[in-house]
Amino acid sequence: MAKINPAYRRLTAGYLFPEIARRTREFQAAHPDAAILRLGIGDTTEPLVPEIISSLHTAVDQLATRETYSGYGDSEGQTPLRQAIADLYTSLGAEVKMEDVFVSDGAKSDSSNIQSIFATDSLVAVQDPAYPVYVDSNVMSGRTGTKNDLGQYEGLHYMPCTAENGFFPELPDRKVDLIYLCSPNNPTGAVATRDQLTAFVEYARKHKAVILFDSAYADFITDPGLPRSIYEIPGARECAIEINSFSKSAGFTGVRLGWSIVPAELSAEDSKPGELHKMWTRRQNTFFNGASNIVQAGGTAALSPAGREQTLAVVKFYMENAAIIRACLQERGLTVFGGTNAPYVWLKTPEGIDSWSFFDKLLNECNVVGTPGAGFGPSGEGYFRLSAFGRRENILAATERIRTQLVL
Ligand SMILES: *Cc1c(COP(=O)(O)O)cnc(C)c1O
């Protein structure tokens, strides 16, 4: 008799983005003439840059002849790509070796799969609000109880990120085992300072905790004083895994490529340095046969000097969108956070309007779709996320409607 995994039943229904899609669909059905503009989901819209496109074409052609054909590669990734990723860290002044790099099909899968090398009864700390994957994947892995009246899953340690703490959390007031940190942050757009990251690294080393650091938006940091990798912090190689992606920085959301850094020095409470690195190697060798060889060629090209120049120009374009959105909201007198070192603008909803009500208001009055902060965790209530990924004409049209049609 087959039985289902009961942990999945603890997931509350209505994942954020399906609920947004449902409300948007219903609105469109009721208003067939409305031209809805979507600043909701964080998905890239600009085409791949020429340097990447030409490398993808070359890699496809190599599969067309017996002489240049290749099949399975190392599950850790192709050496030129792993080396290019290590070099990227070196350019930041962070120590990462080629052997520390594990290439993957994306940061979403890594950020959930990485849990499998840690004990099921680990106490997991998450930022609140956070990228929903960290919470939901831990629920599915059986690390939590059910959701309580506060909207928190029992058994997770929530670290509130509020306007008061600049949307970067205080250190946990108890001993936790795994700590998810995302900087620049989705959804708040906040970036951890060097001092803030140093405090977490010191906490992790003291308590033998492991930090899972998601740096998917590192390339969107414009302030040169802010750290782009946790390995810029001394001691981080002993206590942190970093997860990154080509999705946002190179437009690979549909192409699929990411990486994780699991340093040789990393250790947990009951392990010696090197063991976690070996376990993740074993896990990937068993569950994963490597990222597409075509796509890895594209990733290597993205990290070449020409590739970097071209992709960073696209990042700059999105950050101009963010500046347009910020300026419009400020002009309307709204309180705005983020959007200067991250492609997300995080606004405080007007007094007395919760984040789902603001979603409906923006959809009704402006036909613009955004993302309610409450969907990212209880501390996101009263906030709303607008994404700077979008075509310029849509960003301009959406901000024009917010300027002239939003009733405040
Ligand atoms: C978009 C995003 C990712 C990227 O995930 P991929 O699976 O690589 O596309 C990772 N982390 C955060 C916080 C994101 O917003």
Side-chain angles (χ1 to χ4, degrees), residues 283-338:
R283 192 271 172 205
Q284 288 298 77
N285 287 176
T286 305
F287 280 68
F288 184 59
N289 253 335
S292 153
N293 47 14
I294 300 167
V295 171
Q296 291 191 69
T300 307
L303 295 178
S304 69
R308 283 295 279 171
E309 197 185 320
Q310 293 173 10
T311 54
L312 290 176
V314 180
V315 165
K316 188 158 173 269
F317 167 84
Y318 290 131
M319 290 309 291
E320 287 161 8
N321 284 348
I324 293 169
I325 296 168
R326 270 183 66 92
C328 162
L329 297 172
Q330 282 172 332
E331 203 180 296
R332 293 302 319 269
L334 291 161
T335 306
V336 182
F337 304 94

Side-chain angles (χ1 to χ4, degrees), residues 106-109 131 134 182 186 214 216-217 245 247-248 256 344:
K108 187 185 205 177
S109 31
Y131 184 49
Y134 313 143
C182 177
N186 176 9
D214 185 337
Y217 297 97
S245 170
S247 282
K248 311 299 163 36
R256 312 302 310 140
Y344 298 114

Side-chain angles (χ1 to χ4, degrees), residues 113-166:
N113 291 336
I114 197 73
Q115 300 158 21
S116 75
I117 60 173
F118 297 99
T120 307
D121 62 1
S122 303
L123 177 57
V124 180
V126 289
Q127 284 167 285
D128 171 26
Y131 184 49
V133 177
Y134 313 143
V135 170
D136 287 2
S137 61
N138 274 290
V139 175
M140 291 156 128
S141 302
R143 287 201 174 80
T144 73
T146 50
K147 213 179 222 182
N148 63 24
D149 295 342
L150 300 171
Q152 302 182 334
Y153 283 98
E154 300 287 351
L156 281 185
H157 180 79
Y158 287 76
M159 301 183 291
C161 298
T162 60
E164 288 70 42
N165 61 24

Side-chain angles (χ1 to χ4, degrees), residues 42 104-111 131 134 182 184-187 214-217 243-248 252-254 256-259 344 385 389:
S104 72
D105 63 356
K108 187 185 205 177
S109 31
D110 277 1
S111 65
Y131 184 49
Y134 313 143
C182 177
N185 191 269
N186 176 9
D214 185 337
S215 59
Y217 297 97
I243 299 167
N244 203 330
S245 170
F246 288 90
S247 282
K248 311 299 163 36
F252 275 33
T253 50
R256 312 302 310 140
L257 194 67
W259 72 83
Y344 298 114
R385 190 192 79 174
F389 293 114

Side-chain angles (χ1 to χ4, degrees), residues 320-394:
E320 287 161 8
N321 284 348
I324 293 169
I325 296 168
R326 270 183 66 92
C328 162
L329 297 172
Q330 282 172 332
E331 203 180 296
R332 293 302 319 269
L334 291 161
T335 306
V336 182
F337 304 94
T340 52
N341 292 292
Y344 298 114
V345 177
W346 185 242
L347 69 102
K348 193 164 167 29
T349 55
E351 195 63 35
I353 304 179
D354 69 28
S355 51
W356 277 108
S357 302
F358 190 76
F359 174 90
D360 292 332
K361 181 177 166 67
L362 193 63
L363 182 57
N364 275 291
E365 293 171 4
C366 305
N367 304 341
V368 170
V369 176
T371 312
F376 297 99
S379 297
E381 183 53 273
Y383 291 90
F384 197 80
R385 190 192 79 174
L386 289 175
S387 162
F389 293 114
R391 300 195 188 143
R392 182 61 51 81
E393 63 267 29
N394 288 347

